[in-house]
Structure formats: structure tokens, C-alpha cells
Amino acid sequence: MSVWSDVMGTAEDLADQFLRVTKRFLPHVAHLCLISTFLEDGIRMWFQWNEQCDYISITWNCGNFLAAIFVLLNMVGQLGGCILVLSRKFVPYACCGLFILIAMQTIAYSILWDIKFLMRNLALGGGLLLLLAESRSEGKTMFAGVPTMDTNSPRQYMQLGGRVLLVLMFMTLLHFSLNALMILQDIVGTTLIILVAIGFKTKLAALTLVIWLFALNLIQNPFWSVPVYKPMHDFLKYDFFQTMSVIGGLLLVVALGPGGVSMDEHKKKW
């Protein structure tokens, strides 16, 4: 037991040292990772304008004009939202706009019926929720009429919601296989996502998940190794940048901490 405590203590010391070294630029890296999937999707819509319009027009039988309006809204909305987030201007409005675009794409591209992609979209929404929480030092304006236990309650519950939604990404990576290595990976992964969800040893667990997810992303989604003209290139590229956005959300958890609704916070009161 003492050996395990020593290992955990050393790991937490390393995590704290990492935070001290990176605290000035870690949030900026988190923001860039978080908006990467929107940035990539907006640029792809520009270069694949005709294909995107044709897909929407054929799928929904809505005609070329409405399909073009839909694609234009998505392209401008995503690129504009990215610019606002990176410039730290009107971030709450940018987050709300990106939330709406996620919902629109979930319906338009039939993601609602694909559990894997739906969970990943919800995880992406969790990252935006954390970004929204970061942009609001106190619960005000948007939440002015909501009863709260204290002034920080809205932010705390946004952080809780963001953490819970983020872990959905990892549910899509579990294999439930009888292979010994896969079983070990599932156990470790499940333990880490539970720790992040309940807010216990949060920064260490989230940082470990960042490293794990980044390694898996490089291994499973090497879009650069597939020729551009093959459909698999776009599929892997989409998956890669969506995963990077979830990594950005986890980096925000590392930078901000778990918030008030967490075991880490309650430990301080014990």
C-alpha cells in the first residue's frame, strides 16, 4: 500500500511540475486543439464545396439552394467561431454557435443513429462546455436568473457536465475483448475516465488520458499515410481532428482543475 502511495505521490508531483512549467501556454494549446476539428471541417467545406452541397441536396432532397445555404452556414460559423475563440473575443457566443452547429450536423449527417459518432459529438460538446466555463469567471449574464448555491455554481456545473461528456469519447475506444492486453487497456482506461468524471485525482488522470489518447490517435488515425483521393483519407482526418478536440478539452481540465463539484474539491473541506 505504501509503495502504491509513493508511486501516486511521485506521479502527482510530476504532474504539478508539468503544470508549473506549462501554465502560461497550456490554455492556448488547449484552445487550439479544441477548435481544430471545427477549423479542419470549415476548411474542408471550402475545398469540397460541391461534394458537400450535393450530399445535403441528395440526402434531404432539399434542392441546391438550401443545400448551399446549409454548407455556407456551417463553413462560416465554424471558421468564425474558431477565430473568436483564438482571439478570446465573444467566446460565450462562439461556443453557443458551435454547439448549434454540432446539433445541426448531428441531424444533417445522420450521426444521431450512429452511437459511436454520437458519443464523440457529445464529447466534443463537453469540450465546448469547459471552454464556456473557462470564459466565465462567475455565473452571470446568461445565468442571472438561475438559483445558485453560490456565485460560482454555474461554472462548477458546466465543468462537471464537460468532464462527464468528455469521457464518452473513451467509451468508444473500449474493446470488451478477451485478449489479455485489451482487457488491461480497458481496465486502465475505464479507471481513468471514472476518475475524471467524479473529479478525483483529476489533473493526473486527465493528463494521463491526454498522453494515452494522443498516442492512440497517431496509431489509429494516420490520415497522412493514405492518398488524398481515397475516401479513407477524409474519414481518418475527421477522426484525427475530432480526437484532438477532445484532447483540448482534457487539457482544459488539466489547466482549470475539476471545479467545485468534484471529490478533489470536497477533499479540501474534509
Side-chain angles (χ1 to χ4, degrees), residues 67-268:
I69 293 297
F70 176 83
V71 175
L72 181 64
L73 284 174
N74 273 270
M75 184 180 70
V76 174
Q78 289 184 108
L79 295 177
C82 291
I83 292 171
L84 291 177
V85 168
L86 292 177
S87 63
R88 310 301 296 150
K89 303 291 185 182
F90 306 107
V91 175
Y93 297 103
C95 289
C96 290
L98 293 173
F99 272 125
I100 292 171
L101 290 177
I102 289 176
M104 287 172 57
Q105 290 183 0
T106 299
I107 296 171
Y109 294 100
S110 302
I111 293 173
L112 195 61
W113 314 116
D114 188 316
I115 295 299
K116 177 182 176 181
F117 284 104
L118 178 61
M119 291 177 78
R120 290 190 171 206
N121 264 18
L122 289 172
L124 189 56
L128 288 176
L129 203 54
L130 288 168
L131 183 59
L132 186 60
E134 183 204 31
S135 71
R136 306 181 70 82
S137 57
E138 293 183 352
K140 53 185 177 181
T141 59
M142 187 184 301
F143 299 92
V146 179
T148 60
M149 293 175 62
D150 57 64
T151 57
N152 286 322
S153 288
R155 174 176 173 167
Q156 292 171 1
Y157 287 111
M158 283 190 284
Q159 287 179 273
L160 172 63
R163 293 199 321 269
V164 171
L165 288 175
L166 274 181
V167 302
L168 293 177
M169 176 70 177
F170 297 91
M171 299 301 293
T172 69
L173 300 176
L174 300 179
H175 297 85
F176 303 107
S177 168
L178 295 179
N179 179 284
L181 184 60
M182 292 297 102
I183 291 174
L184 177 62
Q185 182 176 307
D186 286 351
I187 291 173
V188 173
T190 302
T191 302
L192 289 171
I193 63 178
I194 289 173
L195 290 176
V196 171
I198 64 177
F200 182 65
K201 305 286 185 184
T202 315
K203 292 185 178 182
L204 177 59
L207 191 56
T208 306
L209 281 175
V210 165
I211 297 170
W212 180 40
L213 189 55
F214 184 71
L216 284 178
N217 201 23
L218 292 176
I219 295 169
Q220 295 181 357
N221 300 312
F223 66 90
W224 51 87
S225 65
V226 179
V228 177
Y229 60 85
K230 290 189 176 182
M232 184 57 71
H233 176 88
D234 281 344
F235 177 80
L236 291 177
K237 192 175 183 181
Y238 173 82
D239 243 21
F240 180 88
F241 282 103
Q242 196 172 49
T243 304
M244 289 303 298
S245 289
V246 175
I247 288 174
L250 286 168
L251 286 174
L252 277 181
V253 173
V254 175
L256 298 176
V261 187
S262 64
M263 290 188 66
D264 284 344
E265 187 66 25
H266 283 287
K267 276 197 312 178
K268 299 175 183 177

